[in-house]
Amino acid sequence: MHTDTLRDDIKALMPRAKGDLAEMVSFRSIHDPAQSPPAECDRMVDWLIEAFADVGLRDVQAHVTDDGSRAVTGFAEGPLDAPTVLLYFHHDVQPPLGDDAWDSPVWTLTERGGRWYGRGAADCKGNIAMHLTALRALGKDLPVNIKIIGEGSEEQGTGGLEAFVPKHADLLAADTILVCDAGNFAVGVPSLTTSLRGLANVVVTVRSLSSPMHSGMFGGAAPDALAALIAMLATLRDDAGNTTVRGLDATGVWPGVDYPPEQFRVDGNVLAGVDLLGGGRVSDMVWARPAATVLGIDCPPVVGSSAAIQPEARARINLRVPPGMDAVSAQDALVDHLTAVAPWHVHVEIEREANGQPFTGTNSGPGYEAMLDSMRAAYGRDVVMQGQGGSIPLCTVFQETFPDAEIMLIGVEEPLCLIHAPNESVDPTEIENMAYVEASFLRRYAERFAAPR
Ligand SMILES: [Zn+2]
């Protein structure tokens, strides 16, 4: 057994981790040329290739995937007969959603109140900093074989890596896969994310007139496409806020940790006096039941709108699909529902966009046991099993491509990070503690894997 200087070593590496993260956050790696120049993603990839080579990986390289994004792979050899661990991250980020909404510059890592702010500080560049810190702490003394896979278009949902994985199974095959695009239930509460909701998106277009018509001369009798769309969208929930898509079960119950409503109100930035939705517990609503969210509506904005009845209106709807439900059937149900509730015989066209199946992670095995031990040791308390309302379709691809691999979701993204929102941040103690979890996991896993089972 090693004398455990790991924790101290990692503490000493934290200034370096902050430097890494500051450099990564400075790259505007949104994988969408309409929002950020592709050169920003290229700079991020170049940085990763250097950084992972610097911590001892070899053959670190970028592969162009089907959607034009680049996936980064690399490898480091451990002892003979050691197991192989694949470390996942993504290196693209969400758009800032309005620079004005940020209290500090979006692309400059800024410390405030003990947290580090900037787009991608947590999701997912904080997890990259965690990987680099863990590997740096272990140095040449790697207890297992390490592989990395860095996705370049996770936030776009364009599926480049999902197509890449089955085609490059040899390059990525592992005994355990750590999908590090998740995080703890709360700061200081070690957590495994054991289930993910899937998703099914649709875009619905409603048409009723061949041109906009004056609301004074025609309003009252002319079929209003926007009014029809609003009526259709309103049928997706009941008065209590429960999802009411015909044919979808919305009564699931979450078996793991309870999500206290008070904490959810804080985590969810819910305004005082405004109700939480649904008839179940919060954990049921966000982890075990479907949820339909209108992501956007195309109609005239208030500024510049005129006294006209709209001939056409469009909405994108995002349906979250809990474990146990098939994402394609759920998408079908949503399409059928919207078609059925359209009023006044308006013309309805529904486009099916991305869908991804829900996922259930590993809950036994040497990797699982080693992870629980490492988390308990790092945080000094028991591990919480949580779901994640969001989806990572890639997890399902990993499961299908590597059916024997243990797949676990961990990371530095706890609720206060406000990932995807303005003012995203990361708690540096989570990077430090989770890097320690990761490094000590790799050692414990090697030992458990070698022990007779
Ligand atoms: Zn992410």
Side-chain angles (χ1 to χ4, degrees):
M1 186 64 198
H2 303 262
T3 39
D4 192 5
T5 60
L6 263 185
R7 196 189 269 276
D8 293 337
D9 296 344
I10 283 170
K11 194 176 203 58
L13 286 167
M14 283 306 289
R16 182 78 191 271
K18 188 179 187 184
D20 285 349
L21 192 54
E23 287 180 33
M24 285 189 277
V25 166
S26 76
F27 306 129
R28 306 168 188 222
S29 55
I30 307 163
H31 180 68
D32 177 1
Q35 302 191 62
S36 188
E40 293 283 329
C41 292
D42 293 343
R43 288 167 65 208
M44 180 68 205
V45 167
D46 292 345
W47 189 92
L48 288 169
I49 291 173
E50 245 190 78
F52 278 97
D54 182 67
V55 295
L57 271 66
R58 58 185 174 78
D59 301 333
V60 187
Q61 53 184 304
H63 311 255
V64 178
T65 65
D66 290 356
D67 64 2
S69 69
R70 292 202 293 163
V72 177
T73 62
F75 178 71
E77 221 153 58
L80 203 66
D81 296 331
T84 299
V85 176
L86 176 65
L87 306 177
Y88 166 88
F89 56 87
H90 65 81
H91 53 85
D92 67 317
V93 294
Q94 283 280 328
L97 296 177
D99 292 33
D100 297 350
W102 287 70
D103 297 331
S104 54
V106 177
W107 309 106
T108 305
L109 192 71
T110 306
E111 184 161 355
R112 212 162 56 239
R115 297 183 67 94
W116 298 345
Y117 289 80
R119 176 55 89 222
D123 177 18
C124 184
K125 292 170 177 177
N127 291 308
I128 303 176
M130 171 189 82
H131 288 318
L132 289 169
T133 304
L135 293 173
R136 207 171 270 143
L138 291 168
K140 292 202 188 325
D141 191 17
L142 283 180
V144 298
N145 303 303
I146 295 287
K147 294 179 177 179
I148 58 164
I149 179 67
E151 180 173 16
S153 58
E154 196 273 340
E155 303 293 8
Q156 296 300 317
T158 42
L161 191 61
E162 287 147 52
F164 179 87
V165 169
K167 288 188 228 155
H168 297 80
D170 288 352
L171 189 63
L172 304 175
D175 300 290
T176 284
I177 302 173
L178 298 187
V179 178
C180 298
D181 188 19
N184 288 333
F185 181 64
V187 173
V189 181
S191 314
L192 263 184
T193 300
T194 54
S195 104
L196 302 170
R197 285 195 293 193
L199 70 84
N201 284 5
V202 304
V203 171
V204 54
T205 305
V206 175
R207 295 186 185 90
S208 59
L209 303 163
S210 58
S211 70
M213 299 307 293
H214 192 276
S215 64
M217 290 165 70
F218 297 94
D224 180 328
L226 180 54
L229 178 65
I230 290 168
M232 290 159 67
L233 298 178
T235 65
L236 297 174
R237 289 180 204 282
D238 67 14
D239 288 350
N242 294 295
T243 302
T244 50
V245 175
R246 294 176 189 175
L248 289 193
D249 175 28
T251 60
V253 173
W254 177 252
V257 67
D258 212 0
Y259 201 147
E262 321 76 59
Q263 189 187 332
F264 183 84
R265 298 190 74 89
V266 174
D267 296 344
N269 284 346
V270 181
L271 298 181
V274 181
D275 299 342
L276 300 185
L277 303 189
R281 299 174 307 155
V282 171
S283 45
D284 302 332
M285 299 308 297
V286 296
W287 298 332
R289 298 186 186 183
T293 302
V294 178
L295 300 185
I297 299 183
D298 285 347
C299 63
V302 172
V303 174
S305 56
S306 61
I309 301 164
Q310 293 310 307
E312 178 178 326
R314 205 156 76 114
R316 173 177 280 140
I317 302 159
N318 166 255
L319 181 67
R320 297 291 171 173
V321 182
M325 197 177 276
D326 177 65
V328 177
S329 315
Q331 196 171 35
D332 289 343
L334 179 56
V335 169
D336 292 347
H337 176 103
L338 290 168
T339 307
V341 298
W344 317 321
H345 300 101
V346 293
H347 298 177
V348 176
E349 192 184 308
I350 302 176
E351 183 194 336
R352 289 157 203 261
E353 294 194 312
N355 66 62
Q357 293 297 346
F359 169 84
T360 304
T362 189
N363 52 21
S364 65
Y368 179 77
E369 297 299 334
M371 182 58 76
L372 294 193
D373 286 351
S374 302
M375 285 187 154
R376 283 189 206 109
Y379 284 91
R381 55 178 293 175
D382 222 347
V383 179
V384 150
M385 300 299 160
Q386 66 178 346
Q388 184 176 301
S391 58
I392 309 180
L394 182 68
C395 286
T396 314
V397 174
F398 280 144
Q399 209 161 46
E400 285 164 3
T401 313
F402 309 112
D404 297 329
E406 289 186 59
I407 303 176
M408 289 180 280
L409 286 102
I410 60 166
V412 303
E413 300 165 25
E414 37 75 31
L416 298 180
C417 294
L418 301 182
I419 63 166
H420 297 197
N423 294 311
E424 177 180 351
S425 67
V426 70
D427 186 322
T429 66
E430 289 289 289
I431 295 182
E432 183 177 332
N433 286 326
M434 288 305 297
Y436 177 54
V437 166
E438 183 172 4
S440 49
F441 161 78
L442 295 173
R443 284 190 180 164
R444 276 199 182 83
Y445 180 45
E447 286 159 15
R448 279 191 178 264
F449 194 86
R453 274 168 283 157

